Amino acid sequence: MAGTEIFGKEELAAVRDVIERKMIHRYGSHAARNGIYRVEEFENRAREISGARHALAVANGTAALIVALKGIGIQPGDEVITSPFTFIATVEAIVACNAVPVLGDIDETLSLDPASAERLISKRTRAIMPVHMFGAAADMDRFAELGKKYGIPVIEDACEVVGGTYKGRMLGSLGTCGTWSFDPNKTLTVGEGGIVFTDSEEIHSRMDCYHDHGHIHSKEHDRGAEGKSGLGVNFRLSELQGALGLVALQKMDYALGLLRSAKKRILEAVSDTGIVPRPTHNDEGDTASHVIFMLPSAESAVKFRDAAVSAGGGCSIIADNTWHYAKHWKALESMGEKDWFGARTPSYAPASMAQSDGLLARAAMFGLNIIMDDSSVEKMIRAIRAGAGAAL
């Protein structure tokens, strides 16, 4: 699924242009750059595609999450509700702000369950962060309702679903803020990079300053003469990555089209087996990075996986995924039930995730590559059919 699969002459030309102009920094040197700002162009194009009013490009997806949290005003000890099924960066971003991660349950779509999130809202809750995982959207209608009902910002972690949609709207543009990632393992990559979206001028201004040492950016002044809004960090994106980002966005429809075509072909070919795909809140908006089946039980999921692997398929059970399931994060577990900036952290012991574990233990997953020839697709189809035959 890595976006480098579709790297070609366009990326080489984009990088060469930046190097030949010797203009790597996204800010300053206004007189020397002849009006060319590749990161700004990248932001503008991402904003147009997403439908959001503002887009800020940053160093990576983790930085995008931290900047979003800082932008909405997260303070030490605040609680942020999120999903136990996510990449660890989601939780790391919350902890980096000295806030408390509160993990809800997931539903059959493997997304954060809005009902669970609502039960967890407390007087310390300052944000809800649903995560759109492995190509599919969380229930954004319900999360929007929760945000409005309780006056709580909703931050979309859309780092796994760049280009995905929910009822015709781009994921990442539906919450108070939303984030995309362009890291080496994403469908579209710039090496390392991310974007955070918002419709709020005020939030965008705070994020823009914070991500670059507090600078108040202006093309009327060069770097040394800019004003400062306060303290910040360095999460800037370089012009090299901005140039690559422009190419990546040009290839978005192409890459997603290939993935969706392969997934459709696979699901249609195994539809007679009785195997049940993971339900989604919006099939049309799926980025098709993964094919996931929900087996009747954990035991049948193991039988499915073993038979699929024996038949040559790269199948795994999501409950065993150490990268994307909080049950396996010992560093987080050790943070549980402690005083934390005037708050008390909940337990992060595996037993606290029993409902989510029951679902993830039944979820058998295959990852898709952007470029899959007929033999690769047919091999996956044979593996799925073999798994279904052993498990059902």
Side-chain angles (χ1 to χ4, degrees):
M1 189 185 68
T4 51
E5 292 179 61
I6 54 174
F7 270 17
K9 62 183 181 181
E10 300 89 352
E11 286 79 8
L12 290 171
V15 171
R16 184 181 299 112
D17 167 69
V18 174
I19 292 172
E20 288 176 347
R21 288 186 293 104
K22 299 180 173 61
M23 197 58 62
I24 306 298
H25 202 297
R26 76 157 294 180
Y27 293 117
S29 303
H30 303 301
R33 62 200 307 151
N34 297 318
I36 299 173
Y37 299 84
R38 293 303 187 213
V39 176
E40 187 175 319
E41 293 175 48
F42 178 39
E43 290 170 338
N44 289 339
R45 183 60 186 137
R47 179 174 50 78
E48 291 169 1
I49 290 171
S50 71
R53 290 194 178 95
H54 303 283
L56 177 68
V58 294
N60 49 62
T62 309
L65 291 166
I66 294 171
V67 168
L69 290 165
K70 290 290 188 179
I72 66 169
I74 291 295
Q75 297 293 318
D78 289 346
E79 293 180 353
V80 179
I81 298 168
T82 193
S83 171
F85 176 43
T86 182
F87 184 52
I88 196 169
T90 307
V91 167
E92 288 174 329
I94 296 167
V95 174
C97 295
N98 295 318
V100 178
V102 178
L103 305 182
D105 290 319
I106 59 173
D107 60 23
E108 284 278 345
T109 71
L110 309 185
S111 302
L112 180 63
D113 181 359
S116 170
E118 184 169 22
R119 288 193 297 270
L120 291 170
I121 292 172
S122 76
K123 63 181 181 181
R124 289 186 176 273
T125 304
R126 296 293 179 270
I128 302 173
M129 190 184 290
V131 185
H132 310 304
M133 281 296 289
F134 289 3
D139 187 349
M140 286 307 298
D141 283 344
R142 286 283 290 116
F143 285 114
E145 291 171 4
L146 289 181
K148 184 176 181 180
K149 179 178 178 180
Y150 294 96
I152 298 172
V154 175
I155 297 179
E156 290 178 82
D157 183 340
C159 289
E160 297 263 359
V161 291
V162 176
T165 59
Y166 178 82
K167 299 184 178 179
R169 296 181 62 188
M170 195 69 70
L171 293 172
S173 71
L174 301 169
T176 309
C177 298
T179 61
W180 284 357
S181 173
F182 294 85
D183 81 16
N185 294 310
K186 297 298 190 290
T187 303
L188 302 173
T189 184
V190 302
E192 291 287 357
I195 284 182
V196 55
F197 298 105
T198 185
D199 284 342
S200 167
E201 177 72 37
E202 180 181 358
I203 292 174
H204 176 260
S205 179
R206 286 200 295 264
M207 295 191 302
D208 184 47
C209 294
Y210 176 77
H211 98 289
D212 182 27
H213 301 298
H215 280 272
I216 301 171
H217 299 113
S218 169
K219 291 178 184 174
E220 301 301 317
H221 307 285
D222 233 321
R223 289 286 283 176
E226 287 179 336
K228 294 270 285 183
S229 70
L231 299 177
V233 294
N234 178 5
F235 285 152
R236 293 187 306 266
L237 198 67
S238 79
E239 289 288 273
L240 284 168
Q241 291 151 317
L244 287 172
L246 283 166
V247 179
L249 294 180
Q250 290 169 6
K251 293 185 175 184
M252 176 186 286
D253 289 344
Y254 168 70
L256 294 181
L258 290 175
L259 285 164
R260 286 166 173 159
S261 177
K263 184 170 182 177
K264 183 174 185 288
R265 179 177 167 186
I266 291 164
L267 290 180
E268 287 179 348
V270 301
S271 62
D272 63 333
T273 63
I275 200 80
V276 179
R278 166 182 63 163
T280 70
H281 294 291
N282 184 195
D283 286 344
E284 293 76 16
D286 183 4
T287 61
S289 56
H290 296 75
V291 178
I292 299 173
F293 298 101
M294 298 303 295
L295 279 298
S297 67
E299 294 75 20
S300 61
V302 170
K303 292 177 182 177
F304 177 93
R305 179 202 58 198
D306 291 349
V309 170
S310 294
C315 180
S316 61
I317 295 172
I318 294 180
D320 299 332
N321 187 320
T322 59
W323 276 32
H324 294 97
Y325 183 20
K327 170 185 174 180
H328 301 289
W329 304 338
K330 297 298 184 184
L332 177 63
E333 184 178 350
S334 67
M335 183 182 148
E337 299 180 293
K338 290 184 170 60
D339 293 329
W340 189 259
F341 292 93
R344 184 76 173 171
T345 60
S347 172
Y348 303 113
S352 70
M353 304 173 206
Q355 179 172 320
S356 297
D357 201 61
L359 289 166
L360 295 176
R362 296 195 290 111
M365 177 192 76
F366 298 81
L368 299 184
N369 293 323
I370 300 171
I371 307 296
M372 294 184 70
D373 59 21
D374 287 346
S375 64
S376 298
V377 172
E378 290 300 329
K379 184 177 182 179
M380 187 172 291
I381 291 169
R382 288 195 299 272
I384 294 169
R385 296 187 73 86
L392 300 181

